[in-house]
Amino acid sequence: MAAETGYFVRTSAGWWRNDASCPAYDQARSLITRSFNDRQCRGDVVDVFDPFSRITFGSCPLGAWTKVAEPPPKGK
């Protein structure tokens, strides 16, 4: 989740990108979503953490979702 790449997910309806800005997120970190359903909606909060040390770096709200034709860039 960065301005140049976004946050991508793939569903049965194709690829979607969330353009939320989250300064705590980078390629070496992971996201945890906490939701009572199986959807990620605008305004839902995701926690940023290091998958090895389990250190958390804060939280960010999701932005709007946009359907995209192409998958995320390689290595992102």
Side-chain angles (χ1 to χ4, degrees):
M1 183 183 303
E4 66 277 0
T5 58
Y7 168 44
F8 289 84
V9 297
R10 189 170 96 181
T11 70
S12 60
W15 283 98
W16 296 80
R17 178 181 172 183
N18 193 293
D19 295 325
S21 175
C22 188
Y25 184 71
D26 69 21
Q27 292 180 5
R29 295 179 183 163
S30 297
L31 300 175
I32 295 176
T33 58
R34 300 183 194 276
S35 179
F36 296 108
N37 59 39
D38 62 350
R39 299 174 187 231
Q40 295 179 351
C41 300
R42 180 185 185 120
D44 284 356
V45 175
V46 294
D47 296 330
V48 181
F49 75 103
D50 179 280
F52 299 105
S53 68
R54 302 289 187 205
I55 295 172
T56 59
F57 295 93
S59 301
C60 303
L62 294 176
W65 290 97
T66 305
K67 187 167 184 171
V68 294
E70 298 292 324
K74 297 285 185 197
K76 301 292 179 191

